[in-house]
Structure formats: C-alpha cells, structure tokens
Amino acid sequence: MRINGLLFDGQNSRARPAALYRLGEQVILEYDGQSRTFERKDVNVLSRLGSAPRAIEFPGMMRFESSSHDEIDQVFGGLSSFIHKLENNTQLVVISVVTFVAFCVASYLWIIPATSRFVVHKIPQSYIDKIAQKMEGEWGLGESVTLAAENQDKLETITSRLTHSFPGQQVRIRPVEMDGMANAFALPDGSMMVTQPLLELLSTDQALAVMMHEMGHVTYRHGLQAMAGQMIISVLLFFTVGGGDFTAIGQNLVGLSYSRRHEREADLFAAKHLKEIGLKPSLLADGLKRIEKSVSRRREGAGGLPTFMSSHPLTEERAKYLKELD
Amino acid sequence: MLETNTPSPVAAQSYPFEFRGNGKEYFKIWIVNVGLTILTLGIYSAWAKVRTRRYFYNHMFVNGQSFDYHADPIKILKGRIMLFLIGLSVALVNLSPIFLIIPVLFFLAGPYLIVRGAIFNFTNTSFRGVRFGFQRAYQESYITWLKAIAVTIFTLGIGALTSQFYWRKFIFDHMALGKARFKLGGTGFEFWAYMMKVFFLYGLGFLAIYLGVTFGLFFSGLISKEDAGLVPFLLVAMIYVFYGFLFVVYQVRTAHFYSKHTSGDGGLGFQTRLTLWDSFLMYAEQLFLLIITLGFAWPWVTVAIAKYKAEHTDAMATPEFFNSLEQAQLESVSAFGEEVASFWDFDIGF
C-alpha cells in the first residue's frame, strides 16, 4: 500500500510530494524522482494525535507528513498509536473522567487536608518561628501596647484560665494595636494577638471564649495548614492543567473554603473547652457578634460578601451552631 | 538618467494563522493525560506535557503547514525530578543556614536557566521540517536580568512593566527559525508608555464608575444606611471585573505592540486584529463556561482561546519565505531549564 504525503528533507523547508511503502522490514521512500530504502527500525512513526497530519521521521531529520492515518496504522501496525486508542476508547475516557472527578473530590475532602495536617506537625519549630516573625513584620504589628489597668486585669485572668485549661501548653497572648479595631488572631508559632478595643468591648468570659477559639487555631496549626494546602494545590494544578491565568481564581476559592472549615473547627474546639470549665459555647457567639458589630460600624459593614467569597462563615450561622451546643 | 535596475523587493503577504483543533478531541487527550498522571503518581506528566504541546503545535497552521514539538519526555521527567529534589532540599535550610546556599545559587542561576530552557524549547519546535533555535546568549541574559531588576528598583516599581519588554526582546532577538533571525524593535520606555497610558485612563474610568455607582445608589435611596454592608461587596465585585478587564487590556495591547515591532529575515512580521471589547467578551464567555462547569470545560476553553488568538493573527512574509528556510546546527540540552522556567511561569514561546 502506498501512502502519499509531503516530504521535508531536513535541509530546508521546501515541501516535496512524496510517497512511501513498506516491503517487510524495509521502508521505501519516493520523492523527486528518486527512491530510497530505509530499515524499519530507523523510521520513527509518531503516534496519532487528534486530526493533525502525522509525521514519520527518517534519519537525517527527514520528515514525511501525511493525513492518511488509517493507511499509516495499517502499514506500520497499531502499536505506535496505543495512546491514541486510549483516547478513542469511550470506556477508558469515561473511566478517566470518573478517576479525575474522584481524585478532585478526594483531594478536596481528604488528600489536601490530611497531607497539610501531616506536614504541619513535621515542620521544625525554628522554621515556624521564622515564618511568624516575618508575618509580624509584614502586618506591622510592632511592639506590645500598654493596656489600661482593667484590660490588663482581664488579659491576666484570661491567660491564667487558659493555662489552667491547657496544662503543658505555653499560652502567649500579646496586646497589639491594629487600626483601633477589635480583633484577635493566632500566629503560626502559637502566639496569639489581641487588641485593646476587643478587651474593652467584651466581658472577660466572652473574651476568654474568643481566645479559646484562637487556641483552637494554635492547636490545629491552622495557619500553617492553610499555607501547606495552597502549596499542595499549586503542585496539583501544575501537573493537571499546567497552571495558567484562570486557575488562580479556583485556588483562591478552595483556600477560602478551607479557611471557613478551620474557623468552624476552632469554634467547636472553643465550645468543647468552654463547656469543660462550665461556660456556655454561646458566649463565643455573643463575643463574635459584638466584634462584628463594632467592626462593621467602623468600616460600614464587611458582612456584605457572599459566603463562598469570605474567609469566615457567616456570624449568624456560627451563632446558630454554637447555641445548639449550649 | 534614472537607474531602475535595483531588484524590486517582493511584497510581503499576510498568511493567517489557523488553529484546527477542537474541544472534544482535546478533551479526550487531556482527560487521558490527567488519568494516567494520577495513576502513575505524576510520572506520566512528562509524557502528558509533550502530548499536549504536540496537540497544540500540530493543529496550529500557517500557509497550509503546522508546527511540531519534539521534546523527549524522559528528558522532561529528569528535569522535573531535579526540580522536585531542589524543592525538597530547601527544607534542609532548617538544619543549618549553610543550606541557604541552595536557594541563593538557584536564584543566581536564573538567567542561565532561562537560556537553557529557551534552547530546549526552541530546538524542539519545528515548522516545515526546520527547527527553531536559540543562541547561547548567557551574557545578554544576565544583562537583561540586571536591567529588569534595575528598572523595577530605581523607579520604585512603577517601571516594573518594562522588564516584561526586556525579556521579550531578549527572547526574540536570540531566537531563530532555521537560519532566519527575528528582531523585536522599540524601546522599553515606548512599551511602558504604550501600556501605562491605557492602564492610567482605565484606572481613572474605573474610579469614576465606582464612585458614580455607590453615590448614585445612596442618593437615589436604593441603598439605605442599614444596607451599607453591600458597598464593600460591590467594590470587591467591581475590582474583580476590573482586574479581568485589565488582564484583557494587557493581552491585547502587548499583542499589538509586539506584532508591530517584530520583524525577521525574509520580510517576516506579524499582524494582529485583536480588539479590546471583542476579546473581553470572549474571555468573559470562557470564564463563565469554566465557572458553570466547575472547571471541566478547561479543554474547550483552552482550545477556544487558541482558536481565537490564531484567527486574529497573521504572519507577514514573502511567498518564498516558506520554501527557503534552511536548517541550522542543532544543540542538545537538558530540560531542567525549561521545567524551572515553566514552574516560575516564565513564558518562553511565541
């Protein structure tokens, strides 16, 4: 069987009409009125790819191109198009789709969370301290602020009660200033930050509940988990779709979803430990509501974001499940 | 007496690019790639990369012939493993600060790796049986690197965009198709001014629209004080749209600037017919598709974008150009530079 196509001789880009056929282990190529014989093993038949013309490569960078796919398969056997067969096997494509969907779901639900949970407990403390220092610098947290006497008392009470609840764990709370906002958060190294307005705004029990929530972040190493998770997602995306401009959006949305999950975990952690010392989990809800109200008064409301775009679950939702735990 | 015996140059004609792939076909290739990559714990990803590139190159036609990609997957796999090991070795820094030398060396090797990556990429790309190529311009690569850093630092970041031009110029000026050379004209400042002009105007426009909308809503009473929480949401939503808009502006404007300033042997040049609004609609449509299919439209989207870009781009060349390209000496390098560059998202290509 003759296969017609074009030949590029590897010296220049001129296309010559050509034909080839096979005689046992020999491949005969005809072009420009001449006929050349090659060993089958020296001829590289590229696998079929979509509907593009297919190349057959000869020594000396000679390249024969033809769109007669079926003829090429017949002459050279189907081996060269094994992957192409996979691609055209409906069953296998369906299996691949299912594998991929299962992989995505498993990654989202288990692989990424489990891997990041595993990784964060392997990170040496010295490295975590370095990250925390860097974050403190980036956020401009600066020196500890001097608290008014009654707030200082509150903070000391909270610290001693937390120490009592978590024996063997070092409780480090540092009062800092953040644009005059009521806020508290945990750094990866396990230290926690609280602002003066928060201590002023909340009762001692409410503030204790909020710090219990932060203790949850510290215990589960949520900050580090989030960082590890983002790295894992990057690597997975790099291998599946090769990165790109659109993937960043998906990556952010997944990151936010993990963040909401972490908040819920920390809420439940706080609820559990509040109950242990005879306090109601709804204290946390009361504290969160107050903080939200004061922040939204200053910023004209940050509660307008839809859930899938925000880092925290809606405060009403959090209040609801915390009340149920009372 | 008039001398008329100078040979009149043959006018360059325009040859439209044409992408003949289709979403369904690419979907099957992509999903098999992804499936095999997962099943082989990532090893197949090197083969997947070659197959993907080959799909896009093989289906990209100009004047009746398409491109091809010849990289050896084994080389890419080796490059990936090496990159992975270096990534892991960064963790050694915790053992002793001495290991800081690894990321530092890696950083310093950047321009060298970019050249290696470019050589790998270009020599493995062909058109009409003739390979592209890239010079071993290590020195120029370091100079470009220093220029890119300097222009960012000394302008306090305002001139950072210029570095994009420097790198693009570096790539174009040192690449070749067979023995045919390319050249990117224009200056960094021209590029910067060309881009910043529109960024500035659109930035002002965005601000005006945002203020107009929010104040308009307030004064018209459509938003009461209690609903003020909606305002930040509106801002975030508008910033997202604006960010997307700037992305398209960047794509379209750079395409126009580069095609206007690119030339090559044999009367080679490029022409783009991309327009801002039409491109914006195209990207918006594709993004919408991605969102409603939770990302599964990816193969269709990638193909649609490639098709759209090809349809709006012409190569300018004399008719002889296509038959007169000559093969040049080939170089062989490892794929490590290419892997590093693609991990850094450094675009070596067309």
Side-chain angles (χ1 to χ4, degrees):
Chain A
M1 185 184 302
R2 278 170 71 92
I3 303 165
N4 292 314
L6 289 177
L7 184 82
F8 298 96
D9 69 359
Q11 304 302 308
N12 63 47
S13 61
R14 194 155 71 83
R16 306 145 201 263
L20 66 74
Y21 56 94
R22 189 171 170 184
L23 278 180
E25 282 310 294
Q26 290 183 326
V27 179
I28 291 106
L29 181 63
E30 293 179 348
Y31 64 100
D32 282 356
Q34 56 174 314
S35 162
R36 290 179 64 181
T37 307
F38 298 88
E39 293 296 315
R40 167 67 185 92
K41 62 175 169 43
D42 297 330
V43 176
N44 179 26
V45 183
L46 274 79
S47 68
R48 191 167 173 174
L49 195 54
S51 55
R54 185 142 148 215
I56 298 174
E57 294 172 337
F58 290 89
M61 297 191 69
M62 286 211 298
R63 175 188 174 86
F64 176 85
E65 263 183 32
S66 169
S67 293
S68 313
H69 291 293
D70 294 338
E71 287 84 346
I72 296 174
D73 278 345
Q74 248 176 294
V75 169
F76 292 98
L79 258 182
S80 62
S81 56
F82 168 67
I83 299 285
H84 179 74
K85 276 191 185 147
L86 283 187
E87 286 157 5
N88 282 281
N89 183 322
T90 318
Q91 260 176 329
L92 277 169
V93 168
V94 171
I95 291 172
S96 269
V97 172
V98 173
T99 314
F100 183 54
V101 174
F103 180 73
C104 287
V105 172
S107 297
Y108 176 73
L109 289 179
W110 304 295
I111 300 177
I112 297 171
T115 317
S116 41
R117 265 200 300 273
F118 175 77
V119 167
V120 293
H121 292 290
K122 300 278 170 211
I123 303 173
Q125 190 60 42
S126 61
Y127 189 62
I128 297 174
D129 291 343
K130 249 183 252 158
I131 298 177
Q133 266 172 21
K134 217 177 120 199
M135 284 169 87
E136 276 195 56
E138 274 167 15
W139 294 351
L141 292 179
E143 294 297 299
S144 300
V145 291
T146 330
L147 296 174
E150 70 267 25
N151 295 333
Q152 183 64 39
D153 287 347
K154 261 188 201 172
L155 185 57
E156 272 162 26
T157 316
I158 292 168
T159 309
S160 76
R161 286 169 77 180
L162 282 177
T163 313
H164 189 75
S165 282
F166 302 98
Q169 218 168 323
Q170 211 188 356
V171 178
R172 285 175 293 163
I173 308 181
R174 203 154 77 78
V176 291
E177 154 49 47
M178 278 190 90
D179 299 331
M181 256 190 297
N183 202 355
F185 53 92
L187 286 182
D189 65 347
S191 62
M192 295 179 285
M193 309 282 149
V194 67
T195 66
Q196 175 131 267
L198 183 135
L199 293 168
E200 235 154 57
L201 193 68
L202 304 187
S203 73
T204 310
D205 282 349
Q206 287 170 342
L208 174 68
V210 170
M211 295 322 283
M212 285 265 193
H213 167 95
E214 298 306 328
M215 271 315 270
H217 286 317
V218 170
T219 311
Y220 294 127
R221 297 197 167 183
H222 280 151
L224 290 168
Q225 271 192 41
M227 287 158 99
Q230 285 294 315
M231 260 161 74
I232 298 166
I233 298 171
S234 299
V235 172
L236 289 180
L237 283 173
F238 179 69
F239 281 126
T240 49
V241 294
D245 302 303
F246 283 134
T247 53
I249 302 170
Q251 192 171 349
N252 282 337
L253 290 180
V254 173
L256 287 172
S257 144
Y258 286 139
S259 165
R260 290 192 298 274
R261 193 193 285 192
H262 290 166
E263 294 304 327
R264 207 164 299 130
E265 264 177 21
D267 284 346
L268 298 180
F269 178 91
K272 184 176 146 223
H273 288 279
L274 283 169
K275 273 183 145 172
E276 272 176 16
I277 52 170
L279 292 174
K280 281 184 172 178
S282 57
L283 275 170
L284 175 59
D286 300 340
L288 292 173
K289 272 190 211 155
R290 277 205 177 177
I291 295 173
E292 188 184 60
K293 227 174 150 191
S294 85
V295 172
S296 67
R297 198 175 300 135
R298 287 176 47 91
R299 272 201 199 148
E300 303 202 326
L305 284 179
T307 313
F308 76 97
M309 278 168 78
S310 55
S311 60
H312 289 60
L314 291 177
T315 310
E316 297 139 50
E317 192 196 317
R318 297 169 77 179
K320 211 173 128 199
Y321 61 65
L322 286 168
K323 278 251 158 57
E324 279 168 13
L325 291 169
D326 272 357
Chain B
M1 206 172 89
L2 273 167
E3 292 268 327
T4 53
N5 57 354
T6 44
S8 66
V10 185
Q13 299 175 11
S14 60
Y15 296 91
F17 281 89
E18 189 194 342
F19 186 70
R20 294 189 193 159
N22 71 67
K24 194 178 156 199
E25 211 174 67
Y26 178 51
F27 170 76
K28 292 193 249 169
I29 288 163
W30 177 75
I31 197 73
V32 168
N33 277 344
V34 170
L36 288 177
T37 298
I38 295 168
L39 290 176
T40 59
L41 302 174
I43 292 170
Y44 188 76
S45 71
W47 279 262
K49 175 176 176 163
V50 172
R51 211 161 162 75
T52 304
R53 283 248 172 128
R54 272 191 62 215
Y55 182 82
F56 280 90
Y57 285 18
N58 278 182
H59 289 85
M60 185 64 83
F61 285 78
V62 63
N63 194 19
Q65 293 292 318
S66 64
F67 294 78
D68 204 354
Y69 185 65
H70 309 266
D72 177 3
I74 300 272
K75 276 190 171 183
I76 290 186
L77 183 64
K78 282 184 189 161
R80 291 205 158 170
I81 291 172
M82 201 142 140
L83 181 65
F84 183 70
L85 291 179
I86 288 183
L88 282 186
S89 72
V90 172
L92 292 175
V93 173
N94 296 305
L95 296 179
S96 156
I98 286 184
F99 289 107
L100 263 178
I101 192 108
I102 298 170
V104 170
L105 278 180
F106 201 55
F107 176 71
L108 290 177
Y112 170 80
L113 291 172
I114 284 170
V115 174
R116 305 285 285 184
I119 293 176
F120 182 84
N121 252 344
F122 284 116
T123 55
N124 279 311
T125 304
S126 72
F127 179 59
R128 302 180 71 102
V130 172
R131 298 288 182 111
F132 283 80
F134 196 83
Q135 290 172 43
R136 297 185 177 191
Y138 298 118
Q139 203 181 333
E140 288 85 346
S141 182
Y142 275 93
I143 293 173
T144 306
W145 188 57
L146 291 175
K147 271 165 73 182
I149 293 174
V151 79
T152 307
I153 292 176
F154 291 124
T155 60
L156 304 174
I158 299 168
L161 206 53
T162 319
S163 54
Q164 295 283 336
F165 173 82
Y166 290 152
W167 279 115
R168 186 53 73 104
K169 182 171 169 58
F170 170 73
I171 297 288
F172 268 75
D173 287 358
H174 296 93
M175 67 182 265
L177 170 52
K179 289 179 179 160
R181 297 287 307 274
F182 296 78
K183 190 150 192 60
L184 180 61
T187 65
F189 181 74
E190 275 176 290
F191 175 74
W192 182 83
Y194 183 78
M195 299 302 288
M196 289 312 274
K197 198 169 76 189
V198 286
F199 283 157
F200 185 69
L201 279 178
Y202 290 129
L204 280 183
F206 170 72
L207 205 65
I209 293 175
Y210 173 66
L211 292 177
V213 168
T214 39
F215 280 107
L217 286 175
F218 263 116
F219 287 115
S220 64
L222 279 171
I223 282 192
S224 59
K225 275 229 170 70
E226 289 77 61
D227 295 334
L230 276 177
V231 172
F233 171 57
L234 202 64
L235 178 64
V236 170
M238 285 175 79
I239 285 177
Y240 269 105
V241 174
F242 184 59
Y243 178 79
F245 182 68
L246 284 190
F247 167 79
V248 179
V249 170
Y250 184 82
Q251 300 279 321
V252 173
R253 290 285 277 190
T254 47
H256 277 272
F257 188 87
Y258 290 140
S259 51
K260 192 172 136 202
H261 287 92
T262 305
S263 58
D265 292 344
L268 189 69
F270 294 95
Q271 233 173 23
T272 175
R273 278 172 272 110
L274 289 172
T275 59
L276 189 55
W277 184 238
D278 199 48
S279 304
F280 183 69
L281 288 182
M282 188 276 297
Y283 277 110
E285 190 188 322
Q286 298 306 323
L287 183 62
F288 177 73
L289 253 173
L290 266 189
I291 291 171
I292 59 162
T293 60
L294 296 172
F296 269 89
W298 179 264
W300 281 270
V301 167
T302 334
V303 163
I305 293 175
K307 245 192 171 101
Y308 184 86
K309 282 186 177 166
E311 268 168 18
H312 291 83
T313 311
D314 289 350
M316 306 291 296
T318 58
E320 304 87 84
F321 172 83
F322 294 97
N323 280 317
S324 61
L325 293 164
E326 280 176 72
Q327 193 80 272
Q329 191 75 34
L330 276 190
E331 282 198 70
S332 175
V333 296
S334 79
F336 181 59
E338 149 66 11
E339 284 307 297
V340 174
S342 54
F343 193 72
W344 281 340
D345 233 348
F346 185 93
D347 181 25
I348 307 173
F350 320 98

